[in-house]
């Protein structure tokens, strides 16, 4: 297939020939029959979302969104939870205490008691059930109905949630996404089969032999640095991707990597709080930070009250990581954040102070290879996979707006998806 008259960065307006799933030729006025007329629009490597939770994202379409931006208060929360037919299960997601305070069995029963209701916290790690749900699942004796990281235990007790994976794939393709890294901490053995309807390329932390092993940390059960180092050594020769959302989790991880030794591919997931004194340490270890620079924008009001004053300046760093020579890439963390990487780019480029980055750098957060997310960006060049994002507009105009509206077509392995 010949993609005619496209702008390729550093080359200007050229033609691009694709065959057998790869770019085979780039040049001016290539011979052959046109496949796509690019009309001068930019042709980019397809975007790769380096941290996402795909099954949860698919389940979101069958759920009621009850986050601060969705319901905005207790009265609207009640309306959302009462919206279905009496007796039918309600699955609600995205909740934060700023909506109506902490939820438990008693609080939910006061809101809605005539149908089973389960509400997932915005973090994705806590479920809150009402009495009807507990009784329907045979868990009536389960105390206050709050379940912390109990998905595997709870899943067999609830009706199956329809997963609109085809819809996830279509929406991602409309945003120029050609690949995902699924970052579930304990992926089911059949996850790849489950995700087969997606047209995008897929990397699964923990399952793929070349992908890092995910290690999730919790402050209440935090291992010692020595204990974590033992887990890291046990994962070798594979890299590790360590979930770090607090200051103490980060420092325990850095101490453990000092002891175990870091290897290429080691990652810090989120890096929610990175104090200034940790920057040199991260640089020395050479680990990549896969972060969410949009969270301080999406969650600004909640962070003002939820995050300690000492940590406010260190949230989801981006610009200072790049300035310090620390490899950094981005993931949406959808559905716990926006699923639109262009919105993440806008947030990264729009942040004030040292954490802001130039628009081209923001785009680059999604152009790394799956196994080297902050490595040299993928390019449109002979030999590269034909995973491509064609825009309606020039690269200059795209960087001015950073919106998915600029995407015209997305190709995976040379096939339009």
């Amino acid at each position: 297939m010949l993609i005619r008259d496209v702008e390729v960065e550093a080359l200007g307006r050229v033609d691009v020939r694709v065959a057998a799933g790869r770019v085979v030729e780039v040049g001016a006025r290539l011979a052959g029959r046109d496949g796509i007329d690019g009309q001068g629009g930019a042709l980019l490597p397809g975007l790769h979302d380096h941290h996402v939770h795909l099954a949860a994202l698919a389940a979101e379409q069958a759920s009621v969104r009850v986050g601060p931006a969705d319901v905005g208060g207790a009265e609207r929360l009640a309306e959302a939870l009462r919206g279905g037919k009496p007796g039918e299960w309600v699955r609600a997601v995205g909740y934060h205490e700023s909506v109506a305070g902490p939820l438990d069995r008693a609080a939910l029963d006061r809101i809605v008691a005539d149908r089973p209701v389960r509400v997932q916290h915005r973090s994705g790690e806590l479920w809150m059930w009402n009495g009807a749900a507990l009784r329907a699942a045979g868990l009536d004796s389960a105390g206050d109905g709050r379940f912390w990281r109990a998905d595997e235990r709870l899943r067999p007790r609830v009706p199956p949630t329809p997963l609109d994976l085809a819809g996830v794939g279509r929406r991602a393709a409309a945003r120029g996404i050609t690949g995902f890294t699924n970052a579930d901490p304990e992926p089911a053995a059949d996850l790849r089969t489950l995700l087969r309807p997606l047209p995008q390329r897929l990397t699964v932390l923990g399952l793929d032999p070349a992908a890092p092993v995910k290690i999730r940390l919790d402050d209440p059960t935090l291992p010692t640095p020595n204990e974590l180092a033992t887990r890291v050594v046990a994962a070798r020769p594979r890299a590790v991707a360590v979930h770090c959302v607090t200051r103490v989790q980060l420092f325990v991880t850095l101490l453990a990597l000092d002891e175990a030794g870091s290897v290429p591919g080691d990652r810090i997931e989120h890096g929610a709080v990175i104090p200034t004194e940790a920057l040199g340490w991260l640089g020395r270890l050479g680990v990549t930070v896969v972060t969410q620079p949009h969270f301080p924008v999406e969650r600004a009001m909640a962070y003002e009250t939820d995050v300690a004053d000492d940590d406010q300046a260190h949230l989801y760093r981006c610009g200072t990581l790049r300035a310090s020579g620390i490899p950094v890439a981005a993931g949406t963390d959808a559905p716990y954040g926006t699923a639109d990487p262009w919105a993440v780019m806008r947030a990264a480029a729009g942040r004030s102070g040292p954490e802001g980055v130039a628009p081209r750098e923001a785009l680059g957060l999604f152009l790394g290879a799956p196994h080297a997310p902050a490595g040299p960006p993928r390019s449109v060049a002979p030999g590269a996979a034909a995973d491509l994002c064609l825009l309606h507009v020039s690269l200059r105009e795209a960087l001015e707006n950073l919106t998915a509206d600029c995407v015209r077509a997305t190709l995976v392995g040379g096939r339009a998806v």
Side-chain angles (χ1 to χ4, degrees):
M1 179 175 66
L2 188 62
I3 307 173
R4 182 79 70 185
D5 187 23
V6 290
E7 178 197 5
V8 173
E9 191 171 17
L11 296 179
R13 292 174 71 158
V14 294
D15 301 337
V16 175
R17 193 186 312 280
V18 171
R22 308 198 79 81
V23 175
V24 295
E25 192 175 5
V26 177
R29 296 181 294 278
L30 297 180
R33 188 173 61 185
D34 294 1
I36 297 175
D37 181 359
Q39 300 175 9
L43 185 66
L44 310 175
L47 307 181
H48 189 96
D49 188 339
H50 294 291
H51 185 115
V52 65
H53 303 275
L54 291 163
L57 180 58
E60 185 183 44
Q61 298 303 307
S63 306
V64 179
R65 288 207 56 84
V66 293
D70 306 300
V71 295
E75 185 174 340
R76 294 283 303 280
L77 171 66
E79 291 175 4
L81 296 181
R82 294 171 185 157
K85 295 179 181 178
E88 289 188 351
W89 279 80
V90 176
R91 183 184 193 271
V93 298
Y95 185 78
H96 183 265
E97 290 79 5
S98 61
V99 172
L103 293 183
D104 59 11
R105 175 183 188 153
L108 284 169
D109 281 348
R110 287 192 293 271
I111 298 172
V112 55
D114 66 343
R115 73 206 69 188
V117 172
R118 54 191 179 118
V119 180
Q120 187 183 46
H121 192 269
R122 182 175 67 185
S123 66
E125 301 187 340
L126 172 67
W127 282 99
M128 299 153 281
W129 289 30
N130 73 349
L134 293 168
R135 289 189 293 275
L139 294 170
D140 197 30
S141 61
D144 62 3
R146 289 168 65 90
F147 299 98
W148 176 257
R149 288 188 174 169
D151 286 35
E152 295 303 316
R153 172 191 170 196
L154 299 177
R155 188 172 293 115
R157 296 178 177 270
V158 299
T161 302
L163 300 182
D164 182 19
L165 287 159
V168 168
R170 285 194 303 272
R171 288 184 288 275
R175 295 165 176 148
I177 297 174
T178 59
F180 293 111
T181 293
N182 192 84
D184 296 351
E186 297 174 354
D190 64 346
L191 182 62
R192 271 196 162 276
T193 300
L194 178 72
L195 300 179
R196 190 172 293 159
L198 294 168
Q200 285 81 12
R201 297 189 191 272
L202 183 62
T203 299
V204 180
L205 296 184
L207 283 188
D208 295 353
V213 174
K214 177 81 177 282
I215 298 177
R216 181 168 59 183
L217 301 180
D218 290 319
D219 282 3
T221 58
L222 197 63
T224 66
N226 180 261
E227 290 168 341
L228 181 56
T230 299
R231 292 178 63 182
V232 171
V233 169
R236 299 301 192 218
R238 294 172 67 180
V240 294
V242 187
H243 169 105
C244 292
V245 296
T246 65
R247 179 187 293 248
V248 67
Q249 289 172 17
L250 177 69
F251 281 116
V252 166
T253 299
L254 296 180
L255 287 165
L257 289 174
D258 258 347
E259 182 174 340
S262 58
V263 301
D266 281 343
R267 299 167 38 151
I268 300 293
E269 302 300 306
H270 307 300
V273 180
I274 300 180
T276 302
E277 58 267 29
L279 295 174
W281 201 346
L282 282 165
R284 177 169 55 80
L285 288 169
V287 298
T288 294
V289 177
V290 179
T291 190
Q292 286 74 49
H294 53 304
F295 278 3
V297 178
E298 287 186 0
R299 305 177 176 183
M301 291 183 63
Y303 283 169
E304 285 181 9
T305 56
D306 292 355
V307 177
D309 290 345
D310 288 348
D311 288 339
Q312 291 282 347
H314 311 306
L315 287 172
Y316 292 96
R317 290 183 181 272
C318 191
T320 51
L321 296 178
R322 291 184 58 88
S324 300
I326 296 165
V328 59
T332 63
D333 200 27
Y336 311 115
T338 178
D340 182 0
W342 296 93
V344 178
M345 296 178 215
R346 287 197 303 275
R351 288 177 68 176
S352 59
E355 299 311 333
V357 297
R360 181 60 184 81
E361 293 174 336
L363 173 63
L365 297 172
F366 292 93
L367 293 184
H371 301 304
R378 289 167 291 120
S379 62
V380 180
D387 300 342
L388 303 168
C389 172
L390 175 62
L391 306 184
H392 290 287
V393 299
S394 68
L395 179 59
R396 179 189 59 78
E397 186 173 342
L399 294 176
E400 287 175 354
N401 297 290
L402 292 176
T403 172
D405 292 343
C406 68
V407 176
R408 174 181 168 190
T410 301
L411 293 81
V412 177
R415 183 176 64 87
V417 297

